Amino acid sequence: MAILPSQITGVSMETFEELIKQCIQHFERQRFSTGRINMYRFLWLKKLMPYMIKESVPYYDASVGEKFLRTIVTGDIISRYQDDIIRSVNFLNEFQETGTISSHHFKPLERELSGPIGLAMEQFLLHLGALRRTQKTVSEYRRALYRLFIYLESKQIQCLQAISETHIVTFLSTSTNNKALIISSIRFFLQYLHKEHLLENDLSLVFDGYKYSRSEKLPSVYSKSEVLQIEASIQRSDATGKRNYAMMLLATRLGLRASDIAHLSFSNIDWEESTITLCQYKTGNDIKLPLLTAVGEALIDYLKYGRKNSESDKVFLFTIAPFSPMTKSSVSNMFCRIIEASKVDVRGRRHGAHAMRHSLACRFLENKESMPVISEALGHRSTETTMSYLRIDLESLNQCALHVPPVSSSFYEQKGGVFYE
């Protein structure tokens, strides 16, 4: 019997364990795996409960879980361990509030910006919206500002006037991930504060002498034999293997991005015409691809013998209860794990869905396909985007190399060779 919200609002330490017990029983009824249930039990009893005891928190509610998460996740890069903790807290909060758990995936961590500094940050984000910045861009700015907000909070900075150049420089020195985004976001925010007379000094000037260069990188590609080795390494004896193999072929044979694989619906597949037609999640452009025999057979094998019963129109589902649709991040993580386990040497190369897309482009170039054909196959808006792949066509680049004529020894010996000593 599920707990009623009125029975458990404000759970004391004594009944906190009972809440956990009831939630675990719900997991068991929903056919969650034993390993996952044990993981959640461990996180609740060995991580969350010690936090409550340390902070002398007598009752548990969603606000306690939120404060606990803020001690665990401080940046915008979330590890798998942090992912599990966020998921466990969101499950517990939902069960405490409703007596059930409706979804498998977790809600994004709320990045609450409070106090005078947080209010100024929220006003700045509204300003970005007025400038017609996209929602994605505003979210990226929020992540960057949240990192600065947490840093200032840790230094007990409560108002804008207390922020100094030293704080900004020190914050930058502690930032390692997405540094270019952090710099541009904080600079624009500080310029906004000065322009709106919220800050007397223009602290953005601290960035004038700061240079952050990002070196040009070649796309990571894998040879045909390596791609075949990766595909063959997937064990297709169970539901997870059948699903993963079908998703992998969509990337290696058709060049689909992780986001498009995750969002693939039954309506996108025309079995009679043997085509896949979809609107690309990244670009919003429509693309029509042939449903290759190997890809079609992999999809049929998964749909007949691997996919769980679900009312979802998405093709690919998680293989653990409650069997919700896959997400972009889960597809990307799956690709990384498969490629790492395939024993292909990945040193110095990225190993995700996009690497498989780059590798397919490389096969096109090896087969002397024209730029328009490659552009259409990959769903690029223009051939200019496709031109970036020319950097990995080493065979054609070698053909463009000019022959360097030999230089006689007399050239180096002229005037006694004093210029070449």
Side-chain angles (χ1 to χ4, degrees), residues 36-37 95 236 248 311-312 322 381 384 387 414 419:
R36 189 158 290 274
I37 291 174
F95 187 75
R236 289 173 274 167
M248 181 62 73
E311 296 180 356
S312 174
R381 291 181 175 178
E384 291 183 6
M387 293 287 283
Q414 59 182 319
F419 296 107

Side-chain angles (χ1 to χ4, degrees), residues 130-295:
L131 294 177
R132 303 181 67 83
R133 297 294 195 271
T134 65
Q135 184 177 354
K136 179 181 178 182
T137 299
V138 175
S139 297
E140 289 175 346
Y141 272 88
R142 177 177 289 275
R143 287 197 295 270
L145 293 176
Y146 182 74
R147 291 174 66 172
L148 175 62
F149 176 80
I150 292 298
Y151 170 78
L152 294 175
E153 190 177 63
S154 69
K155 299 300 181 182
Q156 299 182 341
I157 305 299
Q158 304 293 333
C159 62
L160 293 172
Q161 289 69 27
I163 303 175
S164 66
E165 291 186 0
T166 302
H167 292 131
I168 301 301
V169 173
T170 306
F171 166 71
L172 288 177
S173 67
T174 62
S175 253
T176 55
N177 297 321
N178 295 334
K179 204 154 192 173
L181 174 62
I182 294 292
I183 291 172
S184 61
S185 301
I186 304 305
R187 176 194 283 123
F188 196 11
F189 172 61
L190 294 175
Q191 289 173 345
Y192 165 82
L193 294 179
H194 181 64
K195 182 179 179 181
E196 296 296 321
H197 306 291
L198 298 174
L199 202 59
E200 182 179 353
N201 297 323
D202 186 3
L203 296 181
S204 68
L205 297 177
V206 75
F207 295 98
D208 286 354
Y210 193 94
K211 294 183 179 180
Y212 179 78
S213 59
R214 179 180 294 174
S215 57
E216 190 72 19
K217 294 182 179 180
L218 291 175
S220 295
V221 296
Y222 292 79
S223 66
K224 181 179 180 180
S225 60
E226 288 176 323
V227 171
L228 292 175
Q229 180 178 333
I230 292 169
E231 294 175 352
S233 69
I234 303 174
Q235 299 297 320
R236 289 173 274 167
S237 57
D238 60 8
T240 301
K242 294 179 187 296
R243 181 202 64 191
N244 292 351
Y245 183 69
M247 291 196 298
M248 181 62 73
L249 290 193
L250 286 171
T252 58
R253 307 295 177 90
L254 298 181
L256 290 187
R257 300 179 179 90
S259 55
D260 292 328
I261 294 174
H263 289 89
L264 186 69
S265 302
F266 288 105
S267 59
N268 298 133
I269 305 175
D270 188 333
W271 296 100
E272 293 184 359
E273 297 292 331
S274 295
T275 59
I276 294 179
T277 306
L278 53 87
C279 178
Q280 296 176 103
Y281 186 77
K282 179 180 179 180
T283 64
N285 292 341
D286 293 330
I287 185 173
K288 187 174 184 178
L289 299 170
L291 181 58
L292 303 178
T293 302
V295 178

